[in-house]
Amino acid sequence: MIDMELRKAKSSDKNKVLEFCKTTFSWGDYISDVWDDWILEGNLLVLTENDVPVAICHCSINIEQLWIEGIRVNKNLRRRGFAKRLVQESEFIAKNNNCKISQMLIATNNQKSLNLAGSLTYKKDEIWNFYSLLPKKINYKTNVKFATNNKSIIDFILSFTSSYVRSWRWLRLTNTNVKSLIDEKKILYSEHKGTINALAIFTKSDHFKNILMLTLIFGNENGIKEILSYLQNYAAQTNIVRIQILTKLKNLPKINTLEKKLSFYLMKKEIQ
Ligand SMILES: CC(C)(COP(=O)(O)OP(=O)(O)OC[C@H]1O[C@@H](n2cnc3c(N)ncnc32)[C@H](O)[C@@H]1OP(=O)(O)O)[C@@H](O)C(=O)NCCC(=O)NCCS
């Protein structure tokens, strides 16, 4: 008889999990990069058969929102409801922590996962485009400025976006964390003749070494070019190897080494 258990992952589960996560996607998988951090953060769930891990999923809670990530099921054991059970358990944890909303990110071409989310009544909330850009030194001054801590700029930022991306998690923006991001000099904009022509938030990835993540909120061609040049230069001087850009904008200007990678649906479900 098979003994099934759904429990919190232990460090000792790592090797067995990484074994079935080697070739998840055509490019491999990122679970090996995040495993240790996810164990420390908690809420890394594992489903076992006779104490052998066969499926995982991580969830985290931020301002009454559940974020679900890293759902992986051993290729030989799919279509048995394992992923569904892990997501439902994550939602259970969220409800116990007064979360109102659950979210996850799914590539627009990942039909299996879209079906999975659909079967659990998640809806496609937004489409985000993912671009990659390499660092580059520049020898001219840009019109890029850091946002300052005043009410009109905070209201302005919040009127354009309700979330930003940190380590591949979409986090809710509130007055309080906009203020913190401003204090940390993470919100920048480009200005032309007194008008803001691009706005973005950047963070250093907590889990992926030397990666800068940029949430590009809006911008015209010139403004975006200014912000990206500024960040390429900043990256070149700070050991960053890649800038990952997430944006709801449909088209970005043509820039050398700027490469469109994928598009994602931000999936959302109300859970209370
Ligand atoms: C996507 C994935 C997690 C699904 O795991 P799973 O345990 O096989 O899924 P479940 O058995 O819980 O399926 C639940 C529902 O998802 C959908 N689904 C799962 N696999 C599917 C497939 N191969 N084709 C179509 N729909 C599928 C179905 O709606 C299914 O319900 P049903 O079986 O009643 O029709 C698994 O295929 C996987 O690990 N894929 C690679 C990693 C990945 O894409 N992770 C998600 C990143 S967002």
Side-chain angles (χ1 to χ4, degrees):
M1 208 181 83
I2 297 174
D3 180 23
M4 296 226 47
E5 190 187 3
L6 200 170
R7 59 166 168 77
K8 297 274 169 77
K10 304 182 259 192
S11 299
S12 55
D13 294 324
K14 185 174 180 177
N15 289 345
K16 286 280 178 227
V17 171
L18 296 190
E19 233 169 75
F20 68 79
C21 290
K22 270 188 217 144
T23 56
T24 308
F25 303 109
S26 55
W27 49 268
D29 204 337
Y30 64 81
I31 301 296
S32 58
D33 297 320
V34 295
W35 176 271
D36 295 341
D37 288 334
W38 284 2
I39 286 275
L40 283 176
E41 278 180 26
N43 289 330
L44 177 56
L45 304 177
V46 63
L47 201 70
T48 61
E49 276 190 1
N50 298 329
D51 212 29
V52 177
V54 292
I56 58 157
C57 161
H58 182 244
C59 63
S60 54
I61 291 169
N62 179 59
I63 327 177
E64 297 186 340
Q65 289 196 189
L66 177 73
W67 182 258
I68 297 179
E69 60 195 351
I71 310 169
R72 302 288 183 271
V73 178
N74 183 319
K75 272 198 180 84
N76 305 320
L77 299 165
R78 290 186 180 165
R79 229 45 209 273
R80 299 178 190 202
F82 291 176
K84 215 169 186 169
R85 279 186 63 186
L86 287 163
V87 173
Q88 284 167 337
E89 180 64 19
S90 303
E91 291 173 0
F92 180 72
I93 293 170
K95 282 180 197 163
N96 283 341
N97 284 280
N98 296 321
C99 288
K100 310 272 186 292
I101 280 168
S102 175
Q103 287 180 300
M104 57 175 103
L105 191 72
I106 302 181
T108 52
N109 61 3
N110 189 342
Q111 196 52 51
K112 294 177 202 172
S113 296
L114 290 171
N115 289 356
L116 165 70
S119 75
L120 289 161
T121 71
Y122 283 76
K123 298 274 179 286
K124 293 171 181 165
D125 190 34
E126 293 173 347
I127 296 186
W128 285 76
N129 301 305
F130 166 38
Y131 290 80
S132 163
L133 177 68
L134 295 179
K136 186 183 159 207
K137 281 210 168 107
I138 57 166
N139 50 12
Y140 54 89
K141 204 175 166 330
T142 60
N143 285 324
V144 170
K145 296 182 177 158
F146 289 102
T148 49
N149 217 329
N150 69 58
K151 190 175 171 334
S152 60
I153 193 113
I154 293 171
D155 290 346
F156 180 76
I157 292 162
L158 289 172
S159 71
F160 280 99
T161 183
S162 55
S163 60
Y164 77 108
V165 186
R166 186 181 188 113
S167 270
W168 285 94
R169 290 176 192 155
W170 269 244
L171 302 182
R172 204 168 109 200
L173 276 177
T174 60
N175 258 293
T176 313
N177 59 17
V178 171
K179 275 185 193 153
S180 308
L181 287 163
I182 289 175
D183 290 343
E184 291 164 29
K185 289 192 176 310
K186 297 294 181 228
I187 304 187
L188 34 80
Y189 63 91
S190 154
E191 207 175 39
H192 181 66
K193 292 185 179 165
T195 305
I196 293 182
N197 62 358
L199 176 67
I201 301 177
F202 74 100
T203 55
K204 224 175 146 191
S205 179
D206 300 324
H207 299 117
F208 304 97
K209 266 194 190 154
N210 303 330
I211 301 281
L212 206 69
M213 297 210 77
L214 181 75
T215 313
L216 181 57
I217 296 163
F218 78 84
N220 66 17
E221 176 158 348
N222 284 339
I224 293 172
K225 279 184 172 168
E226 288 282 301
I227 286 194
L228 295 187
S229 298
Y230 174 88
L231 275 179
Q232 280 185 294
N233 191 45
Y234 169 84
Q237 290 171 354
T238 52
N239 266 344
I240 297 291
V241 294
R242 191 168 301 113
I243 303 165
Q244 295 182 328
I245 302 161
L246 281 309
T247 183
K248 284 197 273 186
L249 297 174
K250 290 200 179 88
N251 295 302
L252 294 193
K254 282 208 166 37
I255 295 174
N256 201 14
T257 81
L258 179 66
E259 199 187 333
K260 168 98 190 269
K261 292 285 190 185
L262 284 169
S263 293
F264 293 94
Y265 290 115
L266 183 60
M267 308 295 295
K268 182 173 166 183
K269 173 179 177 178
E270 290 184 12
I271 52 174
Q272 298 251 348

